[in-house]
Amino acid sequence: IQEMCARIGIVTGNGLTNVIKTHYSKRLLYAMLAISFPAITLNIGADIAGMGDVSNLLLPAIPSFAFSVAFTAILIFSIIRYSYRKIAAILKWLCLVLFLYVIVPFLVTKDWSNVLRNTFIPSFHFDRSFCEILVAILGTTISPYLFFWQANMEAENQAQGGSNVMVDKKSIRKMRSDVISGMLFSNMVMFFIILTTGVVLFNGGGHQIVTVAQAAEALKPLAGNLSYLLFAMGVIGTGLLAIPVLAGSLSYILAETFNWNEGLDKKFGEAKGFYMTLIISLVVGLFINLTKVTAIQALFITAIVYGITAPVMIAVIMHICNNRKIMGNKTNSVLDRKSTRLNSS
């Protein structure tokens, strides 16, 4: 799916919203917008709250909301102040923080045979809670906001390369390699997060974790100070990595819907609507922290919304990538079509 989104961006030179607006019903566009704004903003709020909570655990003298305000201000300043290329470089380096999640299970896991057995022979419980978490995991794995981000980043890279950049087999192959390695890495990290939750928190009696702070505090006596510190650093690093992508995706969606100037490579004065959307989404996300919705509850709700809407977006993306009027000779292969139908099912 991510490869298709990237191919749409490379071939058309446009983001996914622009392509949908040009070739599909306005109802689909506005329905997508109505779902995306609250879901992505709630996701941003959850990440900001999570960073504030774990920072407060590391420095209890400073309130968690003060940390959340500071992180929000730093992110807004950095995204507006620095060019797309600098932001991309920072995001790539921040990806290394995700390896912290890979390290933690090796510090605490004793029975790797049990891990392997349950990885390949999972147990299923067809009750409401299990079905909800299954949909949430689907939504977390193939979040619709990533579809828009992927297409826009490829289109922006094409624009920065100039009109002489040819969309040939080599560029498609390079893009495909980048997407596959990125998705492999993200799913590996996700596996180790689930593994840490299972072998440390669940086996240690932590069955009702409703805040990020509770997760970190539960980890400390069970896995030691080092694991606790790595987890806290992972939450902060992940938030700094995810929020620009979330806010950027939302800004691209709105800018392309309403024909505003767009792009992280532009200065604030050149794309005011684009950057104001980004700022508003972060500020609204920050003030979600003042409600009774916890970070984990917000993430869970968002993941379920993503999981419900993702199949619709997958169908739209598949239709675009099968359309020769849009994609020319860069349409889906037979293998692409079969694998996408399987995912949609």
Side-chain angles (χ1 to χ4, degrees):
I1 304 302
Q2 290 301 130
E3 186 275 339
M4 288 183 197
C5 294
R7 189 154 28 98
I8 289 169
I10 288 178
V11 172
T12 66
N14 288 301
L16 190 55
T17 306
N18 253 334
V19 174
I20 292 172
K21 184 173 71 172
T22 304
H23 298 280
Y24 295 87
S25 167
K26 290 286 178 67
R27 289 182 182 178
L28 175 62
L29 181 67
Y30 293 133
M32 176 195 72
L33 186 61
I35 293 168
S36 297
F37 192 90
I40 294 175
T41 304
L42 192 62
N43 201 339
I44 291 169
D47 286 341
I48 291 172
M51 291 191 293
D53 286 345
V54 296
S55 299
N56 171 252
L57 290 176
L58 297 175
L59 295 171
I62 303 174
S64 59
F65 188 69
F67 277 114
S68 294
V69 171
F71 281 125
T72 303
I74 290 168
L75 284 164
I76 290 173
F77 173 80
S78 301
I79 294 169
I80 293 174
R81 174 69 178 80
Y82 297 112
S83 68
Y84 161 73
R85 291 185 183 276
K86 285 187 178 180
I87 292 171
I90 292 168
L91 292 179
K92 286 175 182 176
W93 283 109
L94 273 175
C95 285
L96 295 176
V97 174
L98 298 176
F99 276 113
L100 297 176
Y101 290 120
V102 179
I103 296 170
V104 172
F106 289 100
L107 300 177
V108 295
T109 304
K110 301 290 191 297
D111 189 358
W112 282 99
S113 62
N114 187 44
V115 169
L116 289 171
R117 183 168 58 254
N118 284 283
T119 296
F120 293 101
I121 312 174
S123 58
F124 292 92
H125 312 278
F126 291 101
D127 53 32
R128 178 178 174 177
S129 295
F130 185 86
C131 291
E132 283 180 347
I133 203 72
L134 202 61
V135 173
I137 288 175
L138 170 68
T140 304
T141 311
I142 49 172
S143 304
Y145 74 86
L146 284 174
F147 304 163
F148 296 95
W149 175 262
Q150 187 81 60
N152 278 104
M153 288 301 97
E154 296 295 345
E156 203 153 292
N157 281 332
Q158 284 291 102
Q160 288 177 352
S163 58
N164 293 326
V165 176
M166 293 290 293
V167 182
D168 54 14
K169 288 184 179 180
K170 184 178 179 181
S171 61
I172 294 290
R173 193 162 50 242
K174 181 180 182 300
M175 171 276 294
R176 191 166 286 157
S177 175
D178 287 344
V179 170
I180 289 172
S181 59
M183 291 297 100
L184 179 64
F185 174 69
S186 68
N187 279 274
M188 179 187 72
V189 170
M190 185 177 179
F191 170 80
F192 279 100
I193 291 173
I194 294 172
L195 177 59
T196 301
T197 306
V199 300
V200 180
L201 298 183
F202 188 84
N203 286 345
H207 300 173
Q208 292 295 326
I209 303 294
V210 294
T211 69
V212 175
Q214 280 183 354
E217 287 175 332
L219 193 65
K220 192 172 184 178
L222 297 169
N225 286 327
L226 179 59
S227 296
Y228 163 77
L229 180 63
L230 292 177
F231 175 83
M233 290 172 62
V235 170
I236 294 169
T238 304
L240 293 173
L241 177 65
I243 290 171
V245 175
L246 287 160
S249 299
L250 188 56
S251 294
Y252 279 113
I253 292 171
L254 262 72
E256 292 182 356
T257 299
F258 298 110
N259 296 319
W260 300 338
N261 283 340
E262 63 177 271
L264 292 169
D265 58 331
K266 289 181 170 60
K267 294 181 180 179
F268 182 86
E270 298 172 325
K272 288 182 181 178
F274 177 85
Y275 282 109
M276 284 305 300
T277 301
L278 192 148
I279 293 168
I280 290 168
S281 66
L282 263 71
V283 172
V284 172
L286 171 65
F287 282 99
I288 289 173
N289 297 322
L290 299 179
T291 69
K292 293 183 179 180
V293 179
T294 69
I296 287 182
Q297 287 171 331
L299 284 173
F300 189 64
I301 293 167
T302 304
I304 289 177
V305 173
Y306 288 157
I308 293 170
T309 56
V312 178
M313 287 306 305
I314 290 171
V316 173
I317 290 163
M318 184 178 176
H319 194 273
I320 293 170
C321 282
N322 288 337
N323 191 332
R324 287 191 175 275
K325 290 181 180 179
I326 301 173
M327 301 297 292
N329 63 351
K330 301 296 189 300
T331 54
N332 284 337
S333 66
V334 174
L335 182 61
D336 288 329
R337 288 194 287 270
K338 287 182 177 179
S339 63
T340 312
R341 287 195 190 101
L342 180 62
N343 277 324
S344 297
S345 300

mmCIF file with all atom_site columns, all heavy atoms in Angstrom, residues 26 137 204:
data_model
loop_
_atom_site.group_PDB
_atom_site.id
_atom_site.type_symbol
_atom_site.label_atom_id
_atom_site.label_alt_id
_atom_site.label_comp_id
_atom_site.label_asym_id
_atom_site.label_entity_id
_atom_site.label_seq_id
_atom_site.pdbx_PDB_ins_code
_atom_site.Cartn_x
_atom_site.Cartn_y
_atom_site.Cartn_z
_atom_site.occupancy
_atom_site.B_iso_or_equiv
_atom_site.pdbx_formal_charge
_atom_site.auth_seq_id
_atom_site.auth_comp_id
_atom_site.auth_asym_id
_atom_site.auth_atom_id
_atom_site.pdbx_PDB_model_num
ATOM 1  N N   . LYS A 1 26  ? -16.358 14.765 -4.985 1.00 0.00 ? 26  LYS A N   1
ATOM 2  C CA  . LYS A 1 26  ? -16.056 15.681 -3.885 1.00 0.00 ? 26  LYS A CA  1
ATOM 3  C C   . LYS A 1 26  ? -16.564 15.125 -2.549 1.00 0.00 ? 26  LYS A C   1
ATOM 4  O O   . LYS A 1 26  ? -16.017 15.431 -1.497 1.00 0.00 ? 26  LYS A O   1
ATOM 5  C CB  . LYS A 1 26  ? -16.705 17.044 -4.152 1.00 0.00 ? 26  LYS A CB  1
ATOM 6  C CG  . LYS A 1 26  ? -16.054 17.825 -5.293 1.00 0.00 ? 26  LYS A CG  1
ATOM 7  C CD  . LYS A 1 26  ? -14.710 18.378 -4.864 1.00 0.00 ? 26  LYS A CD  1
ATOM 8  C CE  . LYS A 1 26  ? -14.020 19.120 -6.010 1.00 0.00 ? 26  LYS A CE  1
ATOM 9  N NZ  . LYS A 1 26  ? -14.716 20.350 -6.410 1.00 0.00 ? 26  LYS A NZ  1
ATOM 10 N N   . ILE A 1 137 ? -4.816  -2.680 15.881 1.00 0.00 ? 137 ILE A N   1
ATOM 11 C CA  . ILE A 1 137 ? -3.495  -3.068 15.360 1.00 0.00 ? 137 ILE A CA  1
ATOM 12 C C   . ILE A 1 137 ? -3.454  -2.883 13.849 1.00 0.00 ? 137 ILE A C   1
ATOM 13 O O   . ILE A 1 137 ? -2.464  -2.401 13.291 1.00 0.00 ? 137 ILE A O   1
ATOM 14 C CB  . ILE A 1 137 ? -3.155  -4.524 15.753 1.00 0.00 ? 137 ILE A CB  1
ATOM 15 C CG1 . ILE A 1 137 ? -2.846  -4.593 17.254 1.00 0.00 ? 137 ILE A CG1 1
ATOM 16 C CG2 . ILE A 1 137 ? -1.961  -5.042 14.950 1.00 0.00 ? 137 ILE A CG2 1
ATOM 17 C CD1 . ILE A 1 137 ? -2.626  -5.993 17.779 1.00 0.00 ? 137 ILE A CD1 1
ATOM 18 N N   . GLY A 1 204 ? 3.828   -9.437 34.308 1.00 0.00 ? 204 GLY A N   1
ATOM 19 C CA  . GLY A 1 204 ? 4.062   -8.845 35.635 1.00 0.00 ? 204 GLY A CA  1
ATOM 20 C C   . GLY A 1 204 ? 2.796   -8.374 36.311 1.00 0.00 ? 204 GLY A C   1
ATOM 21 O O   . GLY A 1 204 ? 2.852   -7.757 37.381 1.00 0.00 ? 204 GLY A O   1
#
